[in-house]
Amino acid sequence: MRILVINGPNMNLLGSRQPEIYGSATLADIEANLVASFPDVDFAFIQSNYEGAIIDAIQTTDADAIVLNAAAYTHTSLAIADAVAAVDTPVIEVHLSNIYAREEIRRRSLIAPVCRGSICGFGPKVYELAVAACL
Ligand code: DQA
């Protein structure tokens, strides 16, 4: 099982970025934890602050599934939603925070309707839950 984990804009700042919302784990911590927790999964990890790079990754992956935290693009990017809809690879949407308990603009995900499922609000555990859902 090959799983591509994609993180969008500002996720490279996890650990120092609004820790009261996103916690203290860095993206490297989250990725290392996945590798340690799922030794049989072949992971690839991409983080990009650029919408087009995320779309390219969705279009070109040969992974069996994608775990996607599109970060703020979740709420704005029809282009990423279109990319998810265009590929056969199942995509699981994740968010560290509970986007439905936050500001109004964060309560709408343009990506959720085209994803296989969505998991949010459980901090770094959302990545583990998403991977477990792929197996
Ligand atoms: C986020 C939630 C988004 O609203 C926000 O823009 C992020 C992170 C999360 O993981 O909780 O950058 O996707």
Side-chain angles (χ1 to χ4, degrees):
M1 167 68 79
R2 291 160 304 169
I3 297 182
L4 172 63
V5 181
I6 303 176
N7 278 281
N10 302 304
M11 299 302 283
N12 53 312
L13 299 180
L14 282 183
S16 60
R17 173 193 183 201
Q18 296 178 282
E20 68 284 5
I21 297 174
Y22 299 116
S24 56
T26 65
L27 189 54
D29 292 336
I30 290 171
E31 293 174 350
N33 178 60
L34 287 179
V35 170
S37 302
F38 299 94
D40 296 336
V41 173
D42 182 8
F43 284 105
F45 298 105
I46 293 174
Q47 187 279 324
S48 181
N49 295 325
Y50 298 92
E51 189 175 26
I54 294 168
I55 293 166
D56 286 346
I58 292 167
Q59 288 183 5
T60 60
T61 186
D62 58 1
D64 301 300
I66 297 171
V67 174
L68 172 62
N69 187 342
Y73 285 139
T74 303
H75 319 294
T76 63
S77 179
L78 195 54
I80 292 177
D82 281 351
V84 172
V87 298
D88 290 332
T89 318
V91 178
I92 302 185
E93 175 191 30
V94 298
H95 300 284
L96 294 163
S97 63
N98 179 356
I99 58 172
Y100 301 103
R102 299 187 62 192
E103 310 96 294
E104 177 102 41
I105 196 164
R106 292 184 204 275
R107 292 184 204 151
R108 186 178 65 151
S109 167
L110 298 186
I111 291 163
V114 289
C115 284
R116 177 74 182 72
S118 301
I119 302 167
C120 75
F122 300 102
K125 221 179 238 274
V126 296
Y127 292 89
E128 293 173 54
L129 293 168
V131 170
C134 295
L135 301 179

